[in-house]
Amino acid sequence: MNVTINGAAHELPSGATVAQAVRKLTETRSGVAVAVNDEVVSRGAWDSTALAEADRVEVLTAVQGG
Amino acid sequence: MDDLIIGGEKFSSRLIMGTGGAPSLEVLDAALAASGTELTTVAMRRLDPSARGSVLDVLRARGIKVLPNTAGCFTAGEAVLTARLAREALETDWVKLEVISDERTLLPDPIETFDAAERLVADGFTVLPYIGDDPALARRLEQAGCAAVMPLGAPIGSGLGIRNPHNIELIVEAAGVPVILDAGIGTASDAALAMELGCDAVLLATAVTRAQRPELMAEAMRSAVRAGRAARLAGRIPRRRYAEASSPMNP
């Protein structure tokens, strides 16, 4: 299954969850938020939310700004 | 105590800091400490696995409340999504709403900002919108339920100071929520002027983070905000065209 994580193509096993996508980038959970196809997936739902082919996953955190 | 109250929360410092532009987290940390700030903005960006240290760790260690912004958003839809992601990541429903119209001026887009503000207020956010120095828009945003309004002094990062002090005074006169002068501050006198005009607080970043000595400038801003606030409360003398003797004229 091919998904996009922060703009880069990734291959994940079929039925992979949001949590697995996040682990491609980081082991940290705090201070991190995820949107799949522009919808926020709350942290508590990462393990139970399955991704689908061509999903766009955005993994964000706070950086210096403003 | 002369506290600043935003959305029911009390702050003893009236200097709100941004974190953009600092050469390192160490320099930022020293500047934040010197500024005495209790509320500081961060931006939301794609997680970079190679990044070392986090601005969040710096703020947490100092006990500074984090104020996520929606910098980089051009539409209400982008700003609402960014605010929701920030709420999820940072566990705060506060947001500095920033929707810009173009990259050259970074001026706020009033239509998109208002649209996003209405949606975020309805979604339970404490919304602090960054706007032009427009008294009519400020009033509409207050009526829409924003917790503060943040008019600019001049474009972001320009250091041009307060280009239209008259409009800032008009916003202050009409506002029932805190007015926070945001953007354009170049040096300490600009921050003092904002407070003298009646603003409740000042938000600045670049003036400190890109100063030659950020920590010292942060200290200067802290003093300037305090001095300007005290002068506002003290009530300045009227301006006169001619002299008025301060010593008795009769021998």
Side-chain angles (χ1 to χ4, degrees), chain B residues 14-64:
Chain B
R14 291 175 179 270
L15 177 55
I16 303 171
M17 292 289 292
T19 53
S24 71
L25 289 176
E26 290 72 26
V27 170
L28 178 67
D29 183 46
L32 290 176
S35 77
T37 188
E38 295 165 342
L39 181 64
T40 291
T41 68
V42 297
M44 297 299 296
R45 289 291 179 272
R46 282 175 170 172
L47 188 143
D48 174 4
S50 66
R52 280 159 195 254
S54 162
V55 66
L56 286 180
D57 296 337
V58 172
L59 298 184
R60 283 199 188 113
R62 293 267 171 214
I64 298 171

Side-chain angles (χ1 to χ4, degrees), chain A residues 6-8 24-26 28 30-35 38-44 46 58-66, chain B residues 18-22 24-25 28 41-47 49 54-56 60 69 81 84-85 88-91 203 205:
Chain A
N6 282 358
K24 287 277 179 186
L25 299 183
T26 179
T28 323
S30 72
V32 177
V34 176
D38 295 336
E39 289 291 331
V40 178
V41 180
S42 63
R43 196 171 294 120
W46 288 0
E58 293 286 330
V59 184
L60 276 77
T61 192
V63 299
Q64 283 177 248
Chain B
T19 53
S24 71
L25 289 176
L28 178 67
T41 68
V42 297
M44 297 299 296
R45 289 291 179 272
R46 282 175 170 172
L47 188 143
S54 162
V55 66
L56 286 180
R60 283 199 188 113
N69 67 26
L81 177 59
R84 287 180 178 150
L85 284 163
E88 175 68 19
L90 308 177
E91 286 155 22
L203 195 163

Side-chain angles (χ1 to χ4, degrees), chain B residues 186-188 207-209 211-222:
Chain B
T187 188
V208 162
T209 59
Q212 290 182 26
R213 295 172 64 186
E215 190 177 347
L216 187 55
M217 186 59 90
E219 205 181 300
M221 293 299 183
R222 178 186 201 159

